[in-house]
Amino acid sequence: DRRDRRTAARGVRVGRRAYARAGRFAPLVATVDDVIVGACEVSIQRDFEAIEALREARGEDDAEEYAYLSCMTVDEAHRRRALASLLMRAGERVAREWGFNVALLHVYEENRGAVRAYEKAGYETIRAPFRTPYDVLRGRTKLLMAKRI
């Protein structure tokens, strides 16, 4: 879209790494002048709790798998330049190519900046709180967010 073209004009590119051609995992990177400054992963998952939350929130009765965005990161020196949005949109395009119409992600509730960025991009919390044993030990809570893509 237009925002992606403007960002590309500033020398930012998002591309898939070559080994992602299998269609179940795609690492995406954002580069500036051939230096990686951001990344995220898109994969196909089958977590029962996430599928159940998706069914409850969106009525996705036939969902057995879902597209999952994870490991979103942007170098601190390159934040606030729409790179996270660019990576999200690239991940959503990959998910659509794989035949999905919904993308899910987890974010720590305490990471208010990321929660706001995901909400601005159209993600909604469909289940909260979610805590793994590791999260309990660290005193953190995850939100499960979804977006129709």
Side-chain angles (χ1 to χ4, degrees):
D1 73 1
R2 189 171 45 109
R3 290 174 295 188
D4 293 344
R5 286 191 300 275
R6 273 198 321 255
T7 305
R10 293 193 314 250
V12 176
R13 294 180 314 135
V14 173
R16 278 188 247 184
R17 290 297 183 201
Y19 62 86
R21 299 196 195 281
R24 297 199 63 88
F25 174 78
L28 305 174
V29 296
T31 59
V32 174
D33 299 325
D34 294 322
V35 175
I36 295 174
V37 296
C40 88
E41 298 174 355
V42 184
S43 60
I44 299 173
Q45 300 292 321
R46 291 179 171 223
D47 178 76
F48 172 76
E49 288 188 31
I51 290 171
E52 188 62 29
L54 188 58
R55 287 179 179 155
E56 290 171 8
R58 298 282 178 100
E60 303 281 339
D61 291 333
D62 58 348
E64 293 182 15
E65 299 179 316
Y66 56 91
Y68 185 71
L69 276 67
S70 62
C71 302
M72 176 75 67
T73 186
V74 174
D75 180 74
E76 286 186 35
H78 291 86
R79 291 185 183 163
R80 318 262 322 138
R81 298 182 189 179
L83 292 177
S85 296
L86 185 68
L87 285 163
M88 275 187 275
R89 287 192 304 273
E92 292 162 3
R93 275 194 301 275
V94 170
R96 281 192 306 273
E97 288 172 14
W98 290 346
F100 292 93
N101 64 2
V102 175
L104 276 69
L105 59 84
H106 280 104
V107 61
Y108 283 110
E109 186 174 39
E110 299 82 10
N111 188 347
R112 298 320 272 136
V115 171
R116 279 191 303 275
Y118 293 135
E119 288 173 341
K120 185 177 177 181
Y123 285 83
E124 299 176 56
T125 300
I126 62 171
R127 180 164 286 172
F130 177 79
R131 297 177 81 178
T132 65
Y134 180 73
D135 296 330
V136 171
L137 291 174
R138 295 188 66 208
R140 298 179 91 178
T141 301
K142 288 180 187 172
L143 303 175
L144 178 61
M145 302 183 82
K147 177 183 178 181
R148 190 163 305 281
I149 54 174

